[in-house]
Amino acid sequence: MDFADLKTQAEREWQWLENPPQPLIQIGTGTCGRASGADKVMESVRKTLKKIQVMARTMEVGCIGMCYLEPLMTLRKRGHPPILYGNLTSAKAADIITRFLLDGDLCLELSICTLGEQSRNGIPRLQDHPMMRTQCRIALRNCGLIDPSNILHYIARGGYQGLSRALQMDGAEVAEVIRKAGLRGRGGAGFPTGLKWELTLKEKAEAKYIVCNADEGDPGAFMDRALLEGDPHSVLEGMLIAAHAIGAAEGFIYVRAEYPLAIARLEKALEQMQRCNLLGKSVLGSKFDFNVHIQEGAGAFVCGEETALMASVQGSRGLPTPKPPYPAQSGLWDKPTCINNVETLSNVSAILENGAEWYAASGTKKSKGTKTFSLAGKIRYTGLIEVPLGTTLKEIVYDIGGGAPNGKKIKGVQTGGPSGGCIPASLFDLTVDYESLAEAGSIMGSGGMVVLDQSTCMVDVARYFLSFTQAESCGKCLPCRLGTHQMLRVLEEICEGRGKPDYLELLRGLSETVQKGSLCGLGQTAPNPVQTTLRYFLDEFDRHITDGKCDAGVCLPLFHYEIDPQLCNGCGLCRRKCSTGAIVGERKEPHFIDQAKCSKCGICLQSCKLEAIGIH
Amino acid sequence: MQIQEAHDLLDPTWPQVLIMEDEVSVAKGLGMVLSEEGYNVDLAMTGRSALDTFNQKMFDLLIADLRLPDIDGMEVIKQVKRRRPDTEVLVITGYSTVTTAVEAMKLGASDYLSKPFTEDEFLSAVKGALVTKEFMAADAAATPLEPLPEDSLRLTEVLQQIRQRFTGRQQEVITILQMVQNAVGYIPIEALQQVADFTRMPEAAVYGIATFYERFRLSPVGRHVVKVCRGTACHVKGADKILHEIEHRYKLSPGQTSKDRMFTLETVACFGSCAIAPVVVVDDKVSADMDPDKVGKVMKDLALNDPKFEPR
């Protein structure tokens, strides 16, 4: 079948979906959705349809990014705009299906928004939702809207158009398009993608390789998972375009084993590509031959580093090697190799479809286009977002993320995972792009953003990241292996209340040594979380060391809970919740905490409706 | 009155049981049965003394006769449940009617036993009541678990598949080890030798790979693997407290398996489900928005639905 036929078939199927003859129910079944109960919702929907005897189709879609509302369901019925419902349970889903399909009741109270251009009965459109209003979706263009296991949906939305265009150009021309678009690596370092391709293309060799880095190891980041689960073809198309540009006939996707659903979706996608002549000999009738292998990672963070990743693909321990030689010169099996991140490749397919100028229109002077971020931590609207580069942190945290839940005060945001840093709320006017984040001492990283509020202890955050990098250090370079270990010990002592004033100087010194004396990015950036917390949250270190206090109530030896007898009305809620029996008091009389029995689990603090329990 | 002194080696981690029964011979008899099984038992002959004892000590289980010389047994249960709702209650009585049974259950009793009953019926009711308190999986196995007989069978099978599917190049070694672990649950030492043979790599190199990557295990695991995510979002939302809860309840540290092979506890750097943090993954199923309380329930349900589950 040639591409034109495929496209016609795809468009027919898509039209059916846009204006379905029978109702269509789409449920988001990404990992987040499933964890929140999407499977049960799906089961309940199917049962209900049987019970009310309505012919309707159900379909699995990926994650639309509003993870705090999971599980999500879209109901499509002729004569109505598609309506999205959230925070579902089996019972709520059954209720909506019955009322909507039998009585035409739109169930306004459970609706979130409509999809598309129309609103209905006061239900706002998706693009008017506070979380979505300022977003600009390029990499995530199809996530949550298409069935990721149906290649026709992807094609109908413009998929593989870019590839078919690229196949009519030569490699240098394709690389030129990407260079003009100004796309930079989305894995974190921000190396210009077009330049990387040109360098690999320039090398003369009998074989070259393209690698897709889907080893999303940064704790706190899940953009790549959501993208692979929700729209695997956009990444695979980008990979084919990259392979054609650099002259590679074989590619590897290195994906974390912790992402079983992403792996399953990729496998399914590859199978469909085979059938559609998008893989194998002469792709889409051109002279380009290409094959892809999926390589599962095995839980080593350092394998996100490109030289370590290549060692792992070749079946060795994932130890980094010095650069140069760069992978573009000597990579997998000493052949020129180009390694691109998942999101980068998804952008590539969009750029080839829509053109370099279109892409370069968004973003800043040096950082073009959009970037996806996973918003998590102490924030109201957690989820996956995509914004033009140059958006301020304030817009992301307050406008899109809705600020902290329960009216708490936001302290800062952690970007870039263990290689990044903590940016205080006072710097939230900072624009998000590669340069300004680096200036603030953090990095863009792959796009994890963990919001921290007043109940987060910054010393503990620094300790947490060091415990991570210390455990993940591969051990090759001594300054990294022992330096992170020493830094962790110092931080642990501070958290346990045994910190001394000269420890801060010690931390600064160790940071510098680890940074300068390590071969790969892991060690070079491991001190970043410590350095930024020392720079912006020095007062918290001082409180820990000088006063022996942890005001956030995180470092166990440095605080205790107390009930304010003036505020306590003796309702007994905290006493009943306390699992160690540490709270005593008569009914309707102020209660007290027996400090000897208290395990500081904090359940009392959460349960008190009068805020009578304080951290001291 | 205490009969604990008879036992020199009392294990404080075993459940504390209070028997409230006015007939001395019955009380002592039941007490003997339980302390022989290793439980720590206190006796109370009246409702008042039961409440007094209860105020001095923490108990996991109250075994309550409803007919008492002073206060009504129901009243005692009511007070106990109000003070420490997590105390389990097993009701025994000679005057059983459906209404009293229902009333006791409404107050939170977990089971109801009418006299006369056999020793076995009594013991299984006690164990059943304590299941809800999850004492069955306490005590981690200090040494690595013994392989199960079916392990070697599974290994032979998977190695056969591997030989058919792969060509024995070094680049396949990580995928091969993944397959072995998925089939057997861990990588037995003989698997390392055979994989080295097949890929023509030195055994030391294969061992090096199996120990470098966090995911590979070289010793057997329990029937259910509980993985606590320690990603950044999970951390700031209380993953440590969840981990402590499991460590405390099941006496397990990360990497350990309970003696009954029910649970293996592990931690993972990040599952990438940060928007619904904190998460716990049990047998590859992700549970969202966990807290110490919820994780206890998830594990309890697993244990109760396990065909090999035996309450202690």
Side-chain angles (χ1 to χ4, degrees):
Chain A
M1 196 190 307
D2 73 356
F3 189 65
D5 290 344
L6 211 58
K7 181 109 185 136
T8 322
Q9 196 190 335
E11 271 158 7
R12 207 176 307 130
E13 168 128 1
W14 190 253
Q15 266 162 18
W16 185 96
L17 199 108
E18 291 276 86
N19 194 11
Q22 39 180 260
L24 172 67
I25 297 126
Q26 296 171 307
I27 295 177
T29 54
T31 301
C32 289
R34 287 184 186 188
S36 308
D39 286 346
K40 280 186 192 141
V41 168
M42 180 64 97
E43 199 185 301
S44 157
V45 166
R46 287 192 179 134
K47 263 192 202 151
T48 312
L49 288 173
K50 215 175 215 172
K51 197 175 119 201
I52 61 173
Q53 295 188 320
V54 170
M55 288 291 284
R57 229 172 84 171
T58 55
M59 181 186 289
E60 293 189 21
V61 294
C63 172
I64 203 161
M66 302 163 106
C67 303
Y68 74 104
L69 289 171
E70 294 281 9
L72 288 157
M73 167 173 97
T74 308
L75 226 156
R76 288 176 186 266
K77 192 184 170 191
R78 232 172 226 188
H80 294 281
I83 301 178
L84 184 72
Y85 299 92
N87 271 333
L88 295 178
T89 57
S90 308
K92 274 191 206 165
D95 187 41
I96 294 170
I97 297 291
T98 316
R99 279 163 61 196
F100 195 131
L101 298 186
L102 286 187
D103 315 328
D105 176 355
L106 303 188
C107 307
L108 291 176
E109 75 283 6
L110 295 165
S111 69
I112 311 290
C113 55
T114 61
L115 304 184
E117 291 309 314
Q118 293 176 38
S119 66
R120 179 64 58 93
N121 297 22
I123 306 176
R125 299 178 310 166
L126 177 70
Q127 51 268 47
D128 298 329
H129 188 278
M131 194 182 178
M132 292 289 173
R133 211 177 292 143
T134 49
Q135 289 198 45
C136 171
R137 301 200 149 212
I138 294 177
L140 302 174
R141 56 196 178 273
N142 294 321
C143 278
L145 302 176
I146 64 167
D147 178 354
S149 59
N150 188 340
I151 191 171
L152 292 177
H153 286 187
Y154 179 67
I155 292 173
R157 302 257 307 168
Y160 291 108
Q161 196 72 52
L163 173 71
S164 103
R165 198 161 293 162
L167 289 176
Q168 283 152 31
M169 309 184 211
D170 67 18
E173 286 167 350
V174 178
E176 169 76 8
V177 172
I178 297 300
R179 203 175 51 76
K180 269 195 185 151
L183 177 64
R184 296 171 64 175
R186 296 293 188 244
F191 191 82
T193 308
L195 182 58
K196 202 184 234 182
W197 289 8
E198 280 164 7
L199 291 173
T200 324
L201 174 66
K202 224 172 57 195
E203 295 293 321
K204 301 235 176 324
E206 76 263 28
K208 291 181 189 177
Y209 298 102
I210 173 88
V211 176
C212 168
N213 184 349
D215 190 46
E216 186 173 51
D218 278 3
F222 57 89
M223 302 77 49
D224 295 351
R225 173 184 62 70
L227 191 47
L228 290 173
E229 284 176 4
D231 192 15
H233 285 289
S234 70
V235 181
L236 289 165
E237 183 186 355
M239 206 171 162
L240 261 68
I241 295 169
H244 170 62
I246 62 166
E250 208 173 351
F252 294 87
I253 305 177
Y254 191 87
V255 52
R256 306 180 73 199
E258 285 82 358
Y259 290 174
L261 184 63
I263 294 168
R265 293 263 155 90
L266 278 171
E267 279 167 351
K268 175 97 191 187
L270 290 180
E271 196 187 297
Q272 291 169 340
M273 288 168 75
Q274 286 284 7
R275 277 208 307 263
C276 298
N277 191 20
L278 286 160
L279 271 188
K281 285 261 167 228
S282 54
V283 169
L284 291 182
S286 70
K287 283 183 190 152
F288 171 57
D289 304 336
F290 191 63
N291 271 311
V292 180
H293 312 274
I294 298 174
Q295 170 78 49
E296 278 183 44
F301 175 67
V302 71
C303 287
E305 201 280 340
E306 48 189 17
T307 57
L309 185 151
M310 291 189 301
S312 182
V313 170
Q314 292 178 69
S316 303
R317 297 165 69 121
L319 300 180
T321 48
K323 290 187 272 191
Y326 291 95
Q329 300 146 351
S330 170
L332 282 174
W333 296 284
D334 304 326
K335 300 285 185 296
T337 303
C338 176
I339 301 166
N340 286 131
N341 156 275
V342 168
E343 188 186 336
T344 311
L345 292 173
S346 176
N347 277 308
V348 162
S349 44
I351 293 170
L352 261 292
E353 184 196 340
N354 299 296
E357 291 75 25
W358 165 82
Y359 190 78
S362 52
T364 67
K365 197 163 171 239
K366 283 185 170 173
S367 308
K368 297 289 181 206
T370 58
K371 175 81 193 81
T372 60
F373 291 100
S374 55
L375 264 186
K378 308 288 184 68
I379 191 155
R380 266 172 73 195
Y381 308 144
T382 58
L384 185 67
I385 63 160
E386 182 170 356
V387 290
L389 286 162
T391 305
T392 63
L393 279 171
K394 195 182 264 162
E395 284 172 86
I396 293 178
V397 173
Y398 291 103
D399 299 345
I400 298 177
N406 319 322
K408 283 201 175 151
K409 219 177 126 220
I410 288 180
K411 216 181 231 182
V413 61
Q414 207 283 336
T415 70
S419 309
C422 300
I423 297 169
S426 57
L427 292 184
F428 274 9
D429 284 324
L430 207 69
T431 55
V432 175
D433 56 72
Y434 294 94
E435 280 73 27
S436 54
L437 284 175
E439 231 164 81
S442 184
I443 61 161
M444 171 88 84
S446 54
M449 270 198 192
V450 180
V451 179
L452 314 166
D453 72 358
Q454 64 197 68
S455 61
T456 319
C457 167
M458 301 311 291
V459 185
D460 174 70
V461 167
R463 182 199 61 79
Y464 163 78
F465 279 114
L466 254 293
S467 74
F468 179 86
T469 33
Q470 187 268 328
E472 295 292 345
S473 169
C474 78
K476 184 169 179 165
C477 311
L478 183 135
C480 174
R481 182 177 74 231
L482 294 183
T484 53
H485 182 76
Q486 285 303 329
M487 288 173 77
L488 176 62
R489 273 182 59 186
V490 170
L491 288 163
E492 275 173 354
E493 290 209 358
I494 299 176
C495 288
E496 282 159 16
R498 291 181 283 121
K500 299 190 181 76
D502 58 345
Y503 276 13
L504 299 183
E505 253 340 283
L506 189 60
L507 274 177
R508 290 195 183 98
L510 282 165
S511 291
E512 207 178 314
T513 311
V514 173
Q515 220 161 34
K516 287 185 178 159
S518 304
L519 192 63
C520 83
L522 193 156
Q524 286 162 7
T525 58
N528 281 357
V530 179
Q531 286 179 319
T532 48
T533 39
L534 276 172
R535 181 163 154 195
Y536 299 120
F537 301 95
L538 189 63
D539 53 324
E540 290 196 33
F541 282 87
D542 282 340
R543 272 293 271 172
H544 279 66
I545 295 172
T546 326
D547 310 329
K549 287 281 168 213
C550 176
D551 297 319
V554 175
C555 301
L556 291 183
L558 303 186
F559 75 96
H560 64 271
Y561 294 116
E562 261 176 39
I563 301 176
D564 185 342
Q566 306 286 320
L567 293 173
C568 177
N569 69 354
C571 72
L573 196 61
C574 59
R575 190 190 61 220
R576 286 194 294 276
K577 289 255 178 181
C578 180
S579 63
T580 57
I583 299 181
V584 285
E586 291 298 317
R587 229 175 116 76
K588 296 196 174 163
E589 294 290 327
H591 283 38
F592 299 94
I593 299 177
D594 179 350
Q595 299 298 341
K597 282 188 184 169
C598 177
S599 69
K600 301 184 188 171
C601 70
I603 283 181
C604 55
L605 193 72
Q606 279 171 26
S607 64
C608 184
K609 294 197 166 64
L610 300 168
E611 292 180 17
I613 302 175
I615 298 163
H616 292 272
Chain B
M1 185 196 300
Q2 296 205 341
I3 49 171
Q4 281 188 2
E5 284 81 6
H7 293 264
D8 299 323
L9 291 167
L10 276 175
D11 183 354
T13 62
W14 272 85
Q16 301 279 347
V17 182
L18 175 63
I19 300 177
M20 177 173 75
E21 163 69 67
D22 59 343
E23 279 182 63
V24 184
S25 55
V26 178
K28 278 193 171 168
L30 295 179
M32 290 290 278
V33 172
L34 289 185
S35 45
E36 263 167 28
E37 290 286 316
Y39 295 92
N40 301 318
V41 184
D42 282 18
L43 301 181
M45 302 296 156
T46 63
R48 279 218 178 79
S49 67
L51 285 174
D52 286 344
T53 321
F54 190 79
N55 280 340
Q56 289 155 19
K57 258 173 98 170
M58 298 279 281
F59 286 95
D60 300 300
L61 173 68
L62 167 71
I63 297 173
D65 188 352
L66 293 181
R67 278 259 183 138
L68 298 168
D70 50 356
I71 358 177
D72 183 4
M74 287 293 188
E75 184 53 34
V76 180
I77 296 174
K78 222 184 270 176
Q79 290 202 29
V80 162
K81 274 285 178 188
R82 206 180 61 212
R83 265 182 240 174
R84 296 218 190 92
D86 58 348
T87 314
E88 298 301 331
V89 177
L90 170 65
V91 172
I92 48 170
T93 182
Y95 308 87
S96 70
T97 64
V98 179
T99 23
T100 48
V102 169
E103 202 188 334
M105 291 310 214
K106 269 190 190 158
L107 289 177
S110 45
D111 207 347
Y112 197 91
L113 212 55
S114 41
K115 292 175 189 169
F117 44 79
T118 66
E119 205 177 297
D120 284 346
E121 285 169 349
F122 175 62
L123 271 177
S124 77
V126 168
K127 283 170 191 163
L130 281 171
V131 164
T132 31
K133 282 200 65 86
E134 293 132 331
F135 271 97
M136 66 286 173
D139 301 346
T143 49
L145 295 175
E146 288 295 311
L148 295 169
E150 58 263 36
D151 288 356
S152 67
L153 217 69
R154 288 200 186 118
L155 178 61
T156 321
E157 220 170 86
V158 73
L159 284 172
Q160 212 168 354
Q161 288 169 16
I162 286 167
R163 286 205 179 84
Q164 282 165 8
R165 213 177 110 181
F166 297 96
T167 52
R169 285 176 298 169
Q170 180 175 353
Q171 69 186 90
E172 296 162 345
V173 70
I174 294 176
T175 315
I176 290 173
L177 291 176
Q178 301 261 31
M179 263 181 88
V180 171
Q181 176 154 310
N182 288 344
V184 191
Y186 69 105
I187 302 170
I189 195 87
E190 59 269 34
L192 289 176
Q193 290 155 354
Q194 299 223 32
V195 170
D197 212 32
F198 179 57
T199 52
R200 293 181 294 281
M201 287 167 75
E203 275 177 34
V206 178
Y207 181 78
I209 287 167
T211 50
F212 180 83
Y213 293 97
E214 200 54 37
R215 222 178 135 76
F216 296 129
R217 328 178 179 97
L218 300 183
S219 52
V221 283
R223 289 188 293 283
H224 304 289
V225 181
V226 178
K227 297 177 188 162
V228 178
C229 179
R230 307 197 79 181
T232 320
C234 291
H235 177 78
V236 300
K237 286 196 155 179
D240 275 353
K241 282 175 178 160
I242 292 171
L243 193 59
H244 285 163
E245 179 71 16
I246 301 175
E247 289 177 326
H248 178 74
R249 262 193 214 209
Y250 293 94
K251 313 278 183 291
L252 281 178
S253 304
Q256 287 186 325
T257 301
S258 59
K259 261 185 190 160
D260 59 2
R261 286 177 174 259
M262 180 72 78
F263 296 117
T264 296
L265 178 62
E266 288 183 354
T267 60
V268 167
C270 182
F271 274 109
S273 294
C274 319
I276 46 172
V279 299
V280 173
V281 179
V282 183
D283 299 339
D284 294 327
K285 192 181 172 299
V286 185
S287 296
D289 204 10
M290 286 282 107
D291 62 32
D293 208 29
K294 285 189 202 159
V295 81
K297 286 195 185 94
V298 168
M299 289 175 72
K300 187 174 85 185
D301 285 348
L302 259 186
L304 289 174
N305 290 320
D306 187 285
K308 288 189 181 162
F309 169 63
E310 286 172 22
R312 292 201 331 204

